[in-house]
Amino acid sequence: MNGTDRQMAALWETVRNKRYAEVIVEVRAAEVDRPFHYEVPPSWAQCVHVGTRVLVPFGPRKLEGYVVGFTSETDKPEKTKPLLEVLDDEPPLTEDLVELASWLSERYLCTKAAAVQALLPSGMRAKATTYLKIKDIEALSAFLPGTPEIELLDLLQNSPKTTKEQMLSSRPEWRPMIRSFVEQGVLEELYGVKQAIQAKMITYLICPLSQEQLQAALEEISPRAKKQKELLAHVYDLGEAAPMKDIFAETGASSATLKPLLEKGWVVKEEREVLRDPYGVQHGERQTKLPLTESQQNAYNEIRSAVDSDAPRTILLQGVTGSGKTEVYLQAIAACVESGKQAVMLVPEIALTPQMVEQFKKRFGDMVAVMHSRLSAGEKFDEWRRIRGGEVEIVVGARSAIFAPFRRIGLMIIDEEHETSYKQDDHPKYLAREVAMYRGRQHGATVVLGSATPALETRWWAHQGQIGRVEMPERVRGQKLPKVRVIDMRLELRERNHSMFSKALKKGIEERLERGEQIILFLNRRGFATFVLCRSCGFVARCPECEIPLTYHKARGYEQLRCHYCGYAERNPEQCPDCRGDHVRHFGTGTQRVEEELGRVFPDAKVIRMDVDTTTGKGAHAELLQRFRQKEAQILLGTQMIAKGLDFPDVTLVGVISAESSLYLPDFRAAERTFQLLTQVAGRAGRHELPGEVVVQSYNPEHYAIQFAKKQEYEAFFQHEIRVRHAMHNPPFRELAAFTSVNEDEDKALAVARRVEERMRRELSGREEVIILGTSPAPLSRLQGKYRFNVVIKYGRFKTVGAEVRTVYQEMAQEAKKLGGYLSIDVNAQMIL
Ligand SMILES: Nc1ncnc2c1ncn2[C@@H]1O[C@H](COP(=O)(O)OP(=O)(O)OP(=O)(O)O)[C@@H](O)[C@H]1O
Ligand SMILES: [Zn+2]
Ligand SMILES: [Zn+2]
């Protein structure tokens, strides 16, 4: 064989192997949760790959799908239809992401389509569109003027870009007519796609003329057209293409001035793609590395050698609050990038402050892409394309950034790895830590799990030697961890202090205000806000839909009760609806009430309140923090969202209004969460020169989670809690999966849950390490008018029960659907609600 023959043979080989593409279509229904076969037209063999996005016929519809493999055989070749369209030049999914999608659907029991969608930015989804083309114009023009047929003909001739969908949405009555014309062959349907989000284009202008040509052109322009001359000369002088918008602004010219110049070809238009940069490129002051402390150096070395080894490794970086984990991350990432590999940095959504992003931008310039939920779909899409196109080496982002389409990952870091926001609450219900470890195996990459208070599972694996562990036990400048005082609020009450501030906290605040230092007040109120209770009869106002207590809100003097799950709202009752008494009071403590009380007790102090109500707008969160940093206020008051990551030099006092509300959640992780929260909040104090103090108020000061948090002794807490977990057969000794059956009809919801329980017991009977908990009302037993029941199962390894769980889930999900409800499943559930 000569060269050409060999090439031909190779080509034919490709064509033969790519006879049929296996395609996952975008339908999420379980019934079609498998790849479908489509014929690859031989001439397309070179441009269809694993990961390519295609348009395919699916029943009467045209759907988008992804190629996940190829085969040379299919069951019914005569029935197999060809692909309609290849949607991108370069496949959006890399091969390893296609593999990851398949793992996601196995591990978290979601459909393959849902898994694929999770890997892509939302703007990626294209809309399939149909255009109509006239094939037989005579047949159409035979109609009389004024008839719909002629109207259609005019429309098609005058604006051929109108899609069939657009046409039908304004003239739905045309549907039968169009269908019959297509059947008769008068019209033809052409398929096209519209990207849901378009790349943003900007028009540039350039002058292609030489010096002499320019002179000639200027002479040719009538002397009265002064503007035209000026514009031409200006564009020429620029020497390179510049945005039309800017040129117009500089010269005062308009498109009318430009038109004749374009027609003569003296100025040329050029469409250029721009990428939306949500943060703007911060040029200039690049921040340099800090010299590392001894324990930072030690941690860095450990991570560095793991990255260099190209073997998949996971390392727990356990560093106390203020030990300088961020600097270790930054330097490890720099080393990773220098060695030609890419890095992913995950931070909890609410810790992803501009301050945090800025650090990365300053250190790495435009090598960094940022991904988080507050970006617009267009911004997300652009950042994603910068990653896919190999323009950046580093991604900083929330949870889903773990799917960054990098080719060669060297390092993935999860900061505050214990955070619950790393579990996705919608399908696929993945845990970022597990995805990172899977990708780590694919890429031979290192995963770093950083925290001062690691998840119990993570710490246990390190104890077992399944993952590595490095410690950073001291703060960077050797500052002491802040002193924590726990105040027994029951005693305060006995001593007739009815205020929400204990004497100690009040005194602490006074001192700081005098010294011009700053204070953070933290309100722990996960799931428990201000509720309304009648002191005479005990009536509690509840949401008629969800049955959870309503939350008291006061805005512009207007008192309202709101359900913070479904948004239901009603007026605050002046009289008790039950006993008609007038002793209805709001209880519990909302940030607003603390703010009011602060205003009363410390009338001169400036307070910044941060909670869901004050941080809804884009950038509001950042702005409030910035104002606090600039010392516009002495007190920062907030909820969970101020618990982590913040680093303010002048904060010397942190107050926790009440430690308990997270302690009484119906969740075996309640103690762990309370410990983590208190330790993290305490860690905000005294991080710089000034020593810090923490005051925690509690009605249960003897609880072990509070006692260990007081001493900030993670290891001691771990030792204690791990025994509790072992005794109760809870993670890390077992994993949990939770089925939730939801229905408007309580009996139906319960019936499905009972069936699930029964089926699971039968399927897994006698299986070692398996525990099936009885059907129970979910902690959120009624949500948005629907009843919810849970069935929780515990098992050793998911692999050993996965097949049975999947079967039962799929069958029962069908049954739940038939009954007008649904069944969901959460594998490796982190919080059962
Ligand atoms: N080697 C160093 N030399 C001097 N300052 C440092 C060094 N490393 C970190 N710092 C500073 O120490 C402070 C605390 O660091 P950082 O915020 O990274 O701590 P952390 O371990 O992430 O704590 P937390 O878990 O509370 O978020 C920061 O102000 C940081 O700039
Ligand atoms: Zn009452
Ligand atoms: Zn509600």
Coordinates of all heavy atoms in Angstrom, one line a residue, residues 162-175 178:
T162 N -37.6 33.8 9.6 CA -38.6 33.5 10.6 C -38.7 32.0 10.8 O -38.8 31.2 9.8 CB -40.0 34.0 10.1 OG1 -39.8 35.3 9.6 CG2 -41.0 34.0 11.3
T163 N -38.6 31.6 12.0 CA -38.7 30.1 12.2 C -40.1 29.7 12.2 O -41.0 30.5 12.5 CB -38.0 29.8 13.6 OG1 -38.8 30.3 14.6 CG2 -36.6 30.3 13.7
K164 N -40.3 28.4 12.1 CA -41.6 27.8 12.1 C -42.3 28.1 13.5 O -43.5 28.4 13.6 CB -41.6 26.3 11.8 CG -42.9 25.6 11.7 CD -42.7 24.2 11.3 CE -43.7 23.3 12.0 NZ -43.4 21.9 11.8
E165 N -41.4 27.9 14.5 CA -41.9 28.1 15.9 C -42.5 29.5 16.1 O -43.5 29.8 16.6 CB -40.8 27.8 16.9 CG -40.4 26.3 17.0 CD -39.5 25.9 15.9 OE1 -39.0 26.7 15.1 OE2 -39.2 24.7 15.8
Q166 N -41.7 30.5 15.6 CA -42.2 31.9 15.7 C -43.5 32.1 15.0 O -44.4 32.8 15.4 CB -41.1 32.9 15.1 CG -39.9 33.0 16.0 CD -38.7 33.7 15.2 OE1 -38.6 33.6 14.0 NE2 -37.8 34.3 16.0
M167 N -43.5 31.6 13.7 CA -44.7 31.7 12.9 C -45.9 31.1 13.6 O -47.0 31.8 13.7 CB -44.5 30.9 11.6 CG -44.7 31.6 10.4 SD -44.4 30.5 9.0 CE -42.7 31.0 8.6
L168 N -45.8 29.9 14.2 CA -46.9 29.3 14.8 C -47.3 29.9 16.1 O -48.5 29.8 16.5 CB -46.6 27.8 15.1 CG -46.6 27.0 13.8 CD1 -46.2 25.5 14.1 CD2 -48.0 27.0 13.1
S169 N -46.3 30.6 16.8 CA -46.7 31.2 18.0 C -47.6 32.5 17.7 O -48.5 32.8 18.5 CB -45.5 31.6 18.9 OG -44.9 32.7 18.4
S170 N -47.4 33.1 16.6 CA -48.3 34.3 16.3 C -49.5 33.8 15.5 O -50.6 34.5 15.6 CB -47.5 35.4 15.6 OG -46.9 34.9 14.4
R171 N -49.4 32.8 14.7 CA -50.5 32.3 13.9 C -50.7 30.8 14.1 O -50.5 30.0 13.2 CB -50.2 32.6 12.4 CG -49.8 34.0 12.0 CD -50.9 35.0 12.4 NE -52.2 34.8 11.7 CZ -52.5 35.5 10.6 NH1 -51.7 36.4 10.0 NH2 -53.6 35.3 10.0
P172 N -51.2 30.5 15.3 CA -51.3 29.0 15.6 C -52.3 28.3 14.6 O -52.2 27.1 14.4 CB -51.9 29.0 17.0 CG -52.3 30.4 17.3 CD -51.6 31.3 16.4
E173 N -53.2 29.1 14.0 CA -54.2 28.5 13.2 C -53.6 28.0 11.8 O -54.2 27.3 11.1 CB -55.4 29.5 12.9 CG -55.1 30.7 12.0 CD -54.4 31.8 12.8 OE1 -54.0 31.6 14.0 OE2 -54.2 32.9 12.2
W174 N -52.3 28.4 11.6 CA -51.7 28.0 10.4 C -51.1 26.5 10.4 O -50.7 26.0 9.5 CB -50.5 28.9 10.1 CG -50.9 30.2 9.5 CD1 -52.2 30.7 9.3 CD2 -50.1 31.2 9.0 NE1 -52.2 31.9 8.8 CE2 -50.9 32.3 8.5 CE3 -48.7 31.4 8.8 CZ2 -50.4 33.5 8.0 CZ3 -48.2 32.5 8.3 CH2 -49.0 33.6 7.9
R175 N -51.1 26.0 11.6 CA -50.5 24.7 11.8 C -50.9 23.6 10.8 O -50.1 23.0 10.1 CB -50.7 24.2 13.2 CG -49.9 23.0 13.6 CD -50.1 22.5 15.0 NE -49.6 23.4 16.0 CZ -48.3 23.4 16.4 NH1 -47.4 22.6 15.9 NH2 -47.9 24.3 17.3
I178 N -49.7 24.4 7.2 CA -48.3 24.2 7.0 C -48.0 22.7 6.9 O -47.3 22.2 6.1 CB -47.5 24.8 8.1 CG1 -47.6 26.4 8.0 CG2 -46.0 24.3 8.1 CD1 -46.9 27.1 9.1

